[in-house]
Amino acid sequence: MSTPNIQMVDLLSQYKKIKTEIDEAIHRVLDSAYYINGKEVGEFEAASANYLGVKHAIGCASGTDALQVAMMALNIGPRDEVVTTPFTFVATTETIVLLGAKPVYVDIDPASFNIEPAAIEAAITPRTKAIIPVHLYGHAVDMDPVMAIARKHGIPVIEDTAQAMGCEYKGKKVGGIGEFGCISFYPSKNLGAFGDAGMVVTNDDRLAEKVRMIVNHGSRKRYYHETIGVNSRLDTFQAAILNVKLKYLEQWHQARRSAAAYYNELFKGSDLITPSEASYTRHIYHQYTIRLKNRDQVDATLNEKKIPHAVFYPIPLHLQEAFAGAGKLKGSFPITERIAGEVISLPMHTELTQEQQKILARAVIEAL
Ligand SMILES: *Cc1c(COP(=O)(O)O)cnc(C)c1O
């Protein structure tokens, strides 16, 4: 079967639709020569803060850096523990371990794929310095119980909002619920740059000031360094591109939501589990992820037929070789381990057509 032009993400077609605006924005930066901290950076930070309904938005170099600098602002380091999910992209745990702290995992809720709030409290110890819930695939974590546990124990919450800029929890955009929200603008994210870029958001003035220093070598005033920082600034070119794209983000979320609804319809009556959308969230479908009992067989068949699809993520973080020292044995998080063996993500982007979706759904159902 041929599948012309079907891709997991179609960045080129999206660019072509807004090429004039993007190219003009890039040329403005070229002509200004303010490649670092040009005015576009501040403009994009203000526009993002406004869109998300938060007080402060601080650009940085990637979503991974956003997580790292947020933890640095909370002075997280050796002997500290951070409670998070084992079912996420590696960056969530990598940054904890890089700072010398220990990830403490909590199993997930199989319906939302997100951390199970009811299981968090048992993972808290006197060393717990943060909780990092991840709004995976663009579906919000059930934040009220997470915040209640965090407040009870006086522990800050860092929302990994890498896949969820614009996702809502009870009518409020995620990222601004905990102490920090960490966003990624990796090209394939719902709001994607043309390279690496990220952002930290917060409503706390003091923490915002601290993050602003940390991303710029721990400095408020040039060559005066108050704290140990890093070089993690949002590039002016990326800010200029993101500024153009942010205006389309709501429209793009709607396109993804429509595509998800159409997949759901195409899969009605078939023997697979379509993604659920809890009543507390507005899912933005960064990924459209289905569950199948015979995933590996379907995966192999789709590979053979060259049907685009992906497995996010095949190996939970507690079983990754890199974290063997900080990890746990197989069987420690049974729901995560089962789900990691059942998921397949299908092409999901703003340029997907119903014709393409029909081809994809037919191929998946046949492979079943
Ligand atoms: C993409 C992603 C990150 C890292 O973002 P980068 O911009 O690629 O560094 C972190 N956490 C999750 C859940 C992600 O999906």
Side-chain angles (χ1 to χ4, degrees):
M1 188 194 296
S2 74
T3 54
N5 297 323
I6 307 185
Q7 299 167 47
M8 268 314 270
V9 285
D10 185 354
L11 301 177
L12 191 58
S13 301
Q14 191 190 59
Y15 164 57
K16 283 179 175 164
K17 284 186 180 165
I18 52 173
K19 181 173 164 36
T20 316
E21 270 182 285
I22 295 269
D23 291 4
E24 278 171 13
I26 290 172
H27 279 276
R28 273 198 300 278
V29 178
L30 279 174
D31 289 334
S32 80
Y34 280 103
Y35 305 130
I36 298 287
N37 277 333
K39 71 172 175 36
E40 287 81 2
V41 174
E43 285 168 7
F44 178 61
E45 288 175 339
S48 297
N50 181 53
Y51 174 75
L52 293 169
V54 294
K55 221 166 150 189
H56 306 280
I58 303 125
C60 64
S62 71
T64 305
D65 277 4
L67 289 162
Q68 181 180 326
V69 300
M71 281 188 271
M72 286 172 78
L74 295 170
N75 298 315
I76 290 172
R79 288 176 301 283
D80 293 337
E81 294 178 356
V82 178
V83 171
T84 189
T85 166
F87 194 55
T88 174
F89 180 60
V90 66
T92 319
T93 287
E94 190 177 51
T95 45
I96 297 170
V97 176
L98 269 173
L99 292 174
K102 182 183 159 199
V104 175
Y105 298 117
V106 168
D107 214 347
I108 60 170
D109 154 37
S112 66
F113 304 107
N114 286 327
I115 194 166
E116 170 56 71
I120 290 177
E121 197 153 27
I124 290 175
T125 76
R127 293 178 189 261
T128 310
K129 290 291 155 56
I131 301 171
I132 308 187
V134 181
H135 306 291
L136 202 70
Y137 306 147
H139 184 293
V141 170
D142 190 3
M143 288 303 290
D144 281 350
V146 174
M147 293 311 294
I149 297 158
R151 294 291 175 256
K152 179 176 157 195
H153 294 272
I155 299 168
V157 171
I158 301 171
E159 295 174 69
D160 184 333
T161 313
Q163 303 188 359
M165 181 169 180
C167 161
E168 288 171 14
Y169 178 70
K170 299 188 176 173
K172 195 176 177 330
K173 299 251 173 18
V174 300
I177 300 168
E179 271 65 22
F180 285 118
C182 298
I183 300 168
S184 166
F185 304 114
Y186 182 81
S188 66
K189 299 283 159 81
N190 286 34
L191 179 59
F194 288 5
D196 280 309
M199 179 171 273
V200 177
V201 299
T202 182
N203 288 305
D204 184 305
D205 299 343
R206 192 186 55 84
L207 289 175
E209 183 72 20
K210 220 164 160 198
V211 168
R212 244 189 218 294
M213 281 199 285
I214 292 170
V215 297
N216 195 22
H217 299 293
S219 161
R220 220 184 304 240
K221 187 174 158 199
R222 214 165 191 190
Y223 307 123
Y224 292 76
H225 305 278
E226 295 171 46
T227 183
I228 297 292
V230 293
N231 175 0
S232 182
R233 293 170 296 232
L234 173 61
D235 188 89
T236 308
F237 282 109
Q238 301 305 340
I241 290 159
L242 289 164
N243 245 335
V244 172
K245 294 184 82 176
L246 179 59
K247 291 184 299 200
Y248 297 96
L249 188 58
E250 273 306 310
Q251 178 187 322
W252 289 337
H253 289 330
Q254 290 312 326
R256 286 171 182 267
R257 288 181 55 79
S258 303
Y262 192 56
Y263 269 138
N264 289 346
E265 204 180 302
L266 292 169
F267 288 129
K268 215 166 259 166
S270 67
D271 197 19
L272 55 81
I273 303 174
T274 54
S276 60
E277 180 179 28
S279 58
Y280 55 71
T281 192
R282 176 182 75 147
H283 201 327
I284 56 165
Y285 294 97
H286 171 59
Q287 297 297 345
Y288 181 87
T289 303
I290 54 176
R291 287 167 55 193
L292 320 135
K293 285 275 173 280
N294 53 343
R295 195 275 311 277
D296 289 341
Q297 181 214 316
V298 172
D299 183 33
T301 309
L302 295 178
N303 279 337
E304 221 169 87
K305 292 189 172 173
K306 300 202 167 25
I307 300 287
H309 66 287
V311 174
F312 302 123
Y313 300 92
I315 306 190
L317 296 186
H318 67 285
L319 301 177
Q320 292 282 358
E321 195 179 335
F323 307 123
K328 285 248 186 184
L329 295 178
K330 204 167 165 76
S332 311
F333 304 102
I335 301 172
T336 296
E337 290 169 31
R338 174 162 60 80
I339 295 293
E342 294 179 355
V343 289
I344 278 190
S345 298
L346 298 179
M348 172 51 74
H349 53 80
T350 57
E351 314 304 312
L352 206 58
T353 67
Q354 294 203 336
E355 263 335 288
Q356 294 176 329
Q357 289 189 273
K358 275 186 205 155
I359 295 170
L360 290 160
R362 209 176 304 131
V364 171
I365 291 167
E366 267 172 32
L368 269 174

